[in-house]
Amino acid sequence: MEIQLEQTQANDIIQNNSTVLLDFYADWCGPCQTLLPTIHKLADELKDNVTIKKVNVDNNQELAAKFGIRNIPTLVFFKDGKAVDKHTGLITERNLRSKIDRLSK
């Protein structure tokens, strides 16, 4: 499943899905690479309940600026088209799953 998101797709994804998680990352970022398997696992497992996409900040600088991304990894959670939560830094699968569960209710 392709979970890369380009700037031109962002508004459609956010507006047309009730629950969205955007993972802002960079290929050179060690913590981002540590989080990568968790993001892919949850994107596959939860695909019926939440849309999870990765946003490369090097390739999508305008989108990162739009959401105030200053550090990576940063996860931005959207509910019904609005940003409702943000987490910067590493997060355990358990804690991330818990945040997603609360958001998707």
Side-chain angles (χ1 to χ4, degrees):
M1 177 170 80
E2 177 57 46
I3 66 170
Q4 274 304 118
L5 178 71
E6 296 301 324
Q7 200 159 299
T8 56
Q9 304 165 308
N11 281 341
D12 284 342
I13 293 292
I14 293 167
Q15 297 303 321
N16 295 322
N17 294 280
S18 72
T19 307
V20 177
L21 167 60
L22 297 185
D23 171 22
F24 288 86
Y25 79 102
D27 291 332
W28 49 263
C29 167
C32 299
Q33 297 307 312
T34 301
L35 189 58
L36 183 64
T38 299
I39 294 295
H40 279 278
K41 178 180 179 183
L42 293 179
D44 188 47
E45 285 180 15
L46 304 175
K47 64 183 172 244
D48 294 333
N49 300 324
V50 62
T51 300
I52 299 176
K53 297 290 184 181
K54 297 183 62 55
V55 180
N56 185 316
V57 296
D58 291 330
N59 299 335
N60 298 283
Q61 293 176 1
E62 287 178 33
L63 190 58
K66 177 180 177 179
F67 294 111
I69 306 304
R70 305 232 184 279
N71 297 299
I72 51 176
T74 294
L75 305 173
V76 182
F77 301 83
F78 295 86
K79 183 70 175 175
D80 299 323
K82 297 186 184 341
V84 295
D85 196 6
K86 187 185 277 191
H87 178 89
T88 300
L90 287 176
I91 186 170
T92 64
E93 179 182 337
R94 180 178 170 185
N95 288 343
L96 180 53
R97 196 180 284 275
S98 176
K99 279 183 171 280
I100 292 170
D101 286 346
R102 283 193 308 271
L103 188 63
S104 60
K105 291 182 180 178

